[in-house]
Amino acid sequence: MIRPATPTLANTPVLETERLRLRAPVATDWPHWRAFMASDRSSFIRPDDLDEAKAWRAMGHMVGMWVLRGYGLFIIEAKGDPTPLGMCGPWHPIDWPEPELAWSLWSPAAEGKGIMFEAAAAARAHAFGPLGWTTAVSYIDPANARSIALAERLGAVRDATAARLDPTDLVYRHIGTGVSA
């Protein structure tokens, strides 16, 4: 069987920081996403009944956001190494109460190095800059201490009045033009 060339999303921005490159998802990210979704690292973002087919559809949702909204989650990689470390960026499914700045770190080796702060700060600056957002939230499970710490380090504040995806979610509000990494 002859396989066609791997398609890529056209006209999507690439963000760069001192250490990182943030880009739209590509087909070769699938094995890394699948491994993350099958691991305990994804426990705060995946349903209890996750299987490979649902993980596949979730990746399709990530790609589709770029097509339908013109933005989406960026895949994070270290400059010079195309291995996906995680994802972050603007996220707004049709049933979300408001736009979200979302993130997940796939690689345990990337933990504790400030990578997600650097990536999320760049993605937020992109949302508040070229995308024209003036606010965004991050929906966080109250047991997810690392995400809470990241939201607070980014300067986001708890918003008890914001609509939630789940009644137990904490909502952290981002306001302004972003933060420097």
Side-chain angles (χ1 to χ4, degrees), residues 14 22 24-25 31 33 39 51 67 74-75 77 83 90 97 105 110 115 120 145 150 154-155 161-162 164:
V14 174
L22 284 68
W33 169 251
S39 76
D51 58 19
V67 174
F74 291 96
I75 300 301
E77 58 187 43
T83 305
L105 192 59
I115 288 171
L150 176 59
L154 287 163
T161 65
R164 288 162 171 63

Side-chain angles (χ1 to χ4, degrees), residues 18-120:
E18 182 180 334
R19 302 179 294 165
L20 306 173
R21 184 172 176 266
L22 284 68
R23 57 163 175 79
V26 295
T28 54
D29 296 330
W30 164 244
H32 303 278
W33 169 251
R34 180 181 55 211
F36 166 69
M37 290 301 282
S39 76
D40 288 340
R41 294 188 66 76
S42 70
S43 64
F44 294 116
I45 67 166
R46 67 176 154 85
D48 292 335
D49 63 342
L50 181 83
D51 58 19
E52 185 173 42
K54 287 179 182 166
W56 175 258
R57 283 191 286 285
M59 184 161 184
H61 190 189
M62 288 189 311
V63 172
M65 184 71 62
W66 283 97
V67 174
L68 295 171
R69 295 261 195 217
Y71 58 80
L73 295 170
F74 291 96
I75 300 301
I76 305 161
E77 58 187 43
K79 284 184 176 176
D81 181 353
T83 305
L85 301 174
M87 66 184 180
C88 74
W91 185 246
H92 195 193
I94 197 165
D95 58 343
W96 250 234
E98 59 183 299
E100 180 179 21
L101 178 64
W103 53 75
S104 61
L105 192 59
W106 303 353
S107 170
E111 195 81 52
K113 298 179 180 175
I115 288 171
M116 191 53 73
F117 174 79
E118 190 174 325

